[in-house]
Amino acid sequence: MTRKQKRLAGIGGMVGVVALAVGLVLQSLSTSIAFFNSPTDIVSNAPVPTQRIRLGGLVEQGSVERGADSKVRFRVTDSVETVPVVYAGLLPDLFREGQGIIAEGTLGPDRVFLADTVLAKHDETYMPKEVVDDLKKRGLWEDGKGMVAPKGGEPVAMTGAGS
Amino acid sequence: MIVELGHFALVLALALALVQSVLPLIGARVGDARLMETGSTTALGGFVMLALAFAALTHAYVVSDFSVLNVAENSHSAKPLLYKITGVWGNHEGSMLLWVLILSFFGALVALFGRDLPASLKANVLSVQAWITVAFLLFILLTSNPFARLDPPPFEGNDLNPILQDIGLAIHPPMLYLGYVGFSIAFSFAVAALIDGRIDAAWARWVRPWTLVAWVFLTAGIAMGSYWAYYELGWGGWWFWDPVENASFMPWLSGTALLHSALVMEKRSALKIWTVLLAILTFSLSLLGTFLVRSGVLTSVHAFATDPTRGVFILGILCVFVGGSLALFALRASSLEGGGLFAPISREGALVFNNLFLTTACATVLIGTLYPLVLEVTTGAKISVGPPFFNLTFGPLMLPLLFAVPFGPLLAWKRGDLLGAAQRLYFAAGAAFVAVLFVMAITQGAAILSALGIGLAVWLMIGSFVDLWGRASFAKAGLSNGLRRLSGLPRSAFGTAIAHFGVGATLLGIVAVGAFGTETVTTMGPGQTVHAGGWGVRFEGLAARDGPNFTEEVGRFTILDGASEAGRIESARRLYTARQQPTTEAGISTHIFSQVYVALGDAVANGGQTVVRIWTKPLVTLIWLGCVAMAIGGLVSLSDRRLRIGAPARAKHRAARPVAEPAE
């Protein structure tokens, strides 16, 4: 091979691999990423059932039911709206009522959220960042104080950590 | 008092690092040997100071001195001694101190073992190394001082996060940091070469062993971390594509590429500019990892406590070092002479192929890790990129690379013979084919992809040794001659074969667990047996027990293989009293390469029943044993004469020549 051909072969190979990678990345970004939603987002603007979403909020007090079929049902709330969640699988050790969690999955046609992953951080003073940001935006969270009552509403019976 | 001494030592280390970051550099500029020599002295002195500071902090932990804020926040007097010591780096401040200690340790190693380096190169390297030390010491002293006092001191500490109270913490972070931070040497060499505007094969011969050392530790550290997460979190998963895992995996990918490209540079003086760039990128990715883990910008299972000022500070360090080194690269790279071209089908070509795929795969991991951040900053939308993304992008990019691995060592330098290499791989291909058919047969054709995956793994494992087999040529030379030939081969050939074999073993484990592992979640009462994946698991009962700083409820299980007993395990739910934090202690029964993994779920109200999660994990330990093989391959390669003696030996060699000709 001449010098020029060698160089062309090299550049061609590189362009090919990079193009392949770009194609794969674009393809999977369009199908496999999950958007973060609060319960209010989901209630007001329901996503299509195929869209993967991350639902973040607090586990409502008294809402956790463990069924005989090893499925766990609970409700996730941002103190304005609540979304029922069904999850079959292993809950993190720190999953408890009042704790901030993130559930990942899809919204079923009956408006029940089918979670395939539930994340609760391994630290009792932790709130998922997305949940805190979301609560802050709507004045339900203050740095150093945790959950605060929505203005003009009932006090929230939740102990969001973070103090 | 000891605490104040530690703090003082830390400040002294900063002063020494400041001197080290300037004087040797000036010395190298003006050619003053004495100024250049200050680099070694300050590097050693700085290391001693940091070791003292670290010892002082460790002492505060061991004696549970709760007047130190860091100790009060992360330790407890009832904690076992081992975890008091490992607790030193189980938190942000202490782990930063360990980070810098290791950084200066590597600097001291260059000072000690770099006697034969060209003086100006050594001076530049040590100065660059000191820049990093200065930046991180400032970071520690200004934003994360581990020696801050607390007044009045509390009677009892907050305890270490129970998840971290494990032998894993003793091994995983130090190993990982030795890897991460070890790449700083390659970085310093690259920047020094750019400052000098000169680079040659001897440079590569120097950089490769340092990179290899860092790579070996990083490989072992990542594998250890993966196994730790596997048994400690109780989720039965071994890799989560968590941003923090990615943060350690990206430097590993580019470090692996660097190892291979440095080989081309050493042997053929080609790919110089690319190798320098890779050295810079690898350490930049290590810095990026440090930033991601400690700034709290990402939601992750193991990010440290967050503090915005720290994040901004590390972002600053990241920008200065990455931006600065890349700018220097842009300015000076053209002054480095490029290497010659070579045929695409050749050893060099194979190594370029390796680099191309590894760096592209690394880039996709980078995109997946940073894309949520970028999108949030630019559009405000919050997304998460999870395992599906990485499986869809990283996986397909790895396949051609893994397929090509056995070809690499069989191709000659300059101009290789692909057909000849393929002919030598007949046996490996046949074995892979048989493996595919075998898996297809036992699954009745249900698992085509898994069968192909296992075939690929077998291809890799056997193909890795074809080079050694060929060079020994047992068939022609007979057994004893063949063995003699083998013993005469350079150790690096064995290292390559063992490491590549390890890649195959890891792949085999990954595919087997993914395809044939089972997961069962059920409620069990005492005496009940559940069958899963060919194993029986009998629940024997629950019992309460007290540990030193926790209480636990222990479930005892008997593992049955058919009717016979194959092992007994305990699986527990623990409550750590100081933090009132529950953890799951999984029970794992290992049978050669396969494991049965049992985790206790929640207790059910009636009659000693409990939710139990049982995973069967065929060949799962191969995932980590393969990594161990990779690390061993690296060590074997490191013991090669060529690297041990390396470039500088020629000077000694020449001096020794009048006396005796070296035996080789």
Side-chain angles (χ1 to χ4, degrees), chain A residues 34 36 54 66 90 93 130, chain B residues 234 299 382 384 584 602 613:
Chain A
F36 178 84
R54 283 192 142 197
R66 292 172 202 275
L90 189 57
D93 291 332
E130 290 94 333
Chain B
T299 306
K382 289 182 177 176
S384 85
T584 307
D602 299 279
R613 293 174 171 93

Side-chain angles (χ1 to χ4, degrees), chain A residues 1 3-7 9-10 13-15 17-18 20-22 24-29 31-37 52 54 66 68-70 72 89-94 96 102 104 118-124 126 128-131 133-134 137, chain B residues 161 163 232-236 296-304 341-344 352 356-357 360 364 367 371 375-376 381-386 388-389 392-393 396-397 400 415 519 521-523 579-584 599-602 611 613 615:
Chain A
M1 266 200 246
R3 226 179 143 73
K4 200 171 174 185
Q5 280 171 324
K6 283 177 188 171
R7 197 166 270 165
M14 268 172 234
V15 170
V17 174
V18 172
L20 172 71
V22 169
L24 288 170
V25 165
L26 290 179
Q27 162 69 18
S28 33
L29 278 182
T31 57
S32 65
I33 57 167
F35 278 86
F36 178 84
N37 283 252
R52 273 186 76 74
R54 283 192 142 197
R66 292 172 202 275
D69 49 356
S70 84
V72 184
L90 189 57
L91 285 171
D93 291 332
L94 283 170
R96 40 182 125 130
I102 286 179
E104 201 170 314
V118 171
L119 304 170
K121 172 97 181 215
H122 282 267
D123 176 351
E124 74 280 18
Y126 177 77
K129 186 169 160 291
E130 290 94 333
V131 178
D133 288 351
D134 182 64
K137 208 163 58 193
Chain B
N161 186 338
I163 292 287
E232 179 70 34
L233 293 181
W235 298 344
V297 292
L298 293 171
T299 306
S300 148
V301 264
H302 38 349
F304 285 86
L341 282 170
F342 41 80
V352 169
L356 187 56
F357 277 91
T360 313
T364 62
I367 290 170
Y371 184 65
L375 199 68
E376 188 180 341
K382 289 182 177 176
I383 61 153
S384 85
V385 173
F389 171 86
L392 279 174
T393 55
L397 282 172
R415 194 176 291 116
E519 178 179 355
V521 183
T522 183
T523 307
R579 290 193 176 209
Q580 285 295 307
Q581 183 174 334
T583 69
T584 307
L600 284 185
D602 299 279
V611 175
R613 293 174 171 93
W615 285 270

Side-chain angles (χ1 to χ4, degrees), chain B residues 234-447:
Chain B
W235 298 344
W238 53 274
W239 190 261
F240 302 96
W241 290 110
D242 179 273
V244 175
E245 289 173 338
N246 294 348
S248 67
F249 192 47
M250 289 187 284
W252 186 87
L253 287 170
S254 68
T256 311
L258 175 61
L259 273 185
H260 290 87
S261 79
L263 196 63
V264 178
M265 185 169 159
E266 181 188 336
K267 295 274 189 169
R268 304 278 309 134
S269 281
L271 297 187
K272 283 181 186 171
I273 295 172
W274 171 243
T275 304
V276 167
L277 181 63
L278 261 185
I280 290 174
L281 288 181
T282 302
F283 186 61
S284 299
L285 288 169
S286 298
L287 287 178
L288 178 72
T290 309
F291 167 70
L292 291 180
V293 178
R294 288 160 197 283
S295 62
V297 292
L298 293 171
T299 306
S300 148
V301 264
H302 38 349
F304 285 86
T306 59
D307 176 349
T309 55
R310 288 173 185 168
V312 172
F313 201 114
I314 300 193
L315 189 61
I317 295 179
L318 185 70
C319 291
V320 168
F321 279 94
V322 178
S325 57
L326 288 180
L328 186 67
F329 177 80
L331 284 176
R332 300 297 296 253
S334 54
S335 70
L336 307 175
E337 305 159 46
L341 282 170
F342 41 80
I345 304 295
S346 62
R347 181 80 67 85
E348 298 95 315
L351 291 166
V352 169
F353 185 88
N354 150 309
N355 268 236
L356 187 56
F357 277 91
L358 279 177
T359 47
T360 313
C362 181
T364 62
V365 177
L366 184 70
I367 290 170
T369 312
L370 293 186
Y371 184 65
L373 269 183
V374 174
L375 199 68
E376 188 180 341
V377 170
T378 52
T379 69
K382 289 182 177 176
I383 61 153
S384 85
V385 173
F389 171 86
F390 295 101
N391 294 343
L392 279 174
T393 55
F394 183 78
L397 282 172
M398 276 295 109
L399 289 180
L401 179 61
L402 294 176
F403 177 74
V405 164
F407 284 99
L410 297 180
L411 294 173
W413 293 100
K414 287 189 188 173
R415 194 176 291 116
D417 175 7
L418 193 60
L419 197 64
Q423 279 169 345
R424 291 172 63 188
L425 285 166
Y426 266 148
F427 179 71
F433 188 62
V434 170
V436 173
L437 286 184
F438 175 72
V439 176
M440 297 275 270
I442 55 170
T443 58
Q444 279 138 17

Side-chain angles (χ1 to χ4, degrees), chain B residues 59-335:
Chain B
H59 178 262
Y61 267 86
V62 170
V63 300
S64 293
D65 181 355
F66 296 128
S67 71
V68 179
L69 177 65
N70 190 249
V71 181
E73 279 181 348
N74 299 294
S75 196
H76 191 278
S77 55
K79 201 167 60 167
L81 180 65
L82 174 68
Y83 302 144
K84 282 183 183 170
I85 296 172
T86 59
V88 174
W89 58 81
N91 61 83
H92 167 74
E93 288 83 359
S95 66
M96 246 8 265
L97 188 58
L98 178 68
W99 206 99
V100 179
L101 177 68
I102 291 175
L103 186 67
S104 75
F105 170 68
F106 277 106
L109 284 183
V110 172
L112 276 180
F113 296 106
R115 292 214 179 87
D116 303 317
L117 270 175
S120 67
L121 179 61
K122 183 181 175 188
N124 283 337
V125 167
L126 287 174
S127 272
V128 176
Q129 195 76 8
W131 299 346
I132 311 170
T133 315
V134 167
F136 278 93
L137 276 176
L138 279 175
F139 173 67
I140 291 181
L141 287 166
L142 296 179
T143 73
S144 344
N145 184 1
F147 296 109
R149 288 283 198 177
L150 193 60
D151 186 39
F155 288 108
E156 194 48 271
N158 267 348
D159 205 0
L160 179 66
N161 186 338
I163 292 287
L164 300 178
Q165 296 192 24
D166 186 271
I167 187 72
L169 183 65
I171 309 168
H172 168 59
M175 290 266 227
L176 203 61
Y177 289 178
L178 279 168
Y180 255 24
V181 179
F183 285 130
S184 69
I185 299 285
F187 174 84
S188 297
F189 267 91
V191 173
L194 288 172
I195 292 174
D196 252 0
R198 196 157 45 90
I199 194 164
D200 49 20
W203 181 92
R205 222 166 315 172
W206 267 100
V207 167
R208 222 169 78 81
W210 291 106
T211 311
L212 201 50
V213 170
W215 182 87
V216 164
F217 280 113
L218 191 59
T219 308
I222 292 176
M224 176 68 217
S226 159
Y227 189 63
W228 184 18
Y230 168 79
Y231 74 71
E232 179 70 34
L233 293 181
W235 298 344
W238 53 274
W239 190 261
F240 302 96
W241 290 110
D242 179 273
V244 175
E245 289 173 338
N246 294 348
S248 67
F249 192 47
M250 289 187 284
W252 186 87
L253 287 170
S254 68
T256 311
L258 175 61
L259 273 185
H260 290 87
S261 79
L263 196 63
V264 178
M265 185 169 159
E266 181 188 336
K267 295 274 189 169
R268 304 278 309 134
S269 281
L271 297 187
K272 283 181 186 171
I273 295 172
W274 171 243
T275 304
V276 167
L277 181 63
L278 261 185
I280 290 174
L281 288 181
T282 302
F283 186 61
S284 299
L285 288 169
S286 298
L287 287 178
L288 178 72
T290 309
F291 167 70
L292 291 180
V293 178
R294 288 160 197 283
S295 62
V297 292
L298 293 171
T299 306
S300 148
V301 264
H302 38 349
F304 285 86
T306 59
D307 176 349
T309 55
R310 288 173 185 168
V312 172
F313 201 114
I314 300 193
L315 189 61
I317 295 179
L318 185 70
C319 291
V320 168
F321 279 94
V322 178
S325 57
L326 288 180
L328 186 67
F329 177 80
L331 284 176
R332 300 297 296 253
S334 54
S335 70

Side-chain angles (χ1 to χ4, degrees), chain B residues 212-213 215-217 220 491-492 495 498-499 628-640 643-644:
Chain B
L212 201 50
V213 170
W215 182 87
V216 164
F217 280 113
R491 299 241 184 103
S492 60
I498 295 169
V628 171
M630 287 183 229
I632 290 175
L635 287 176
V636 170
S637 187
L638 203 57
S639 73
D640 193 289
L643 292 188
R644 257 183 302 137

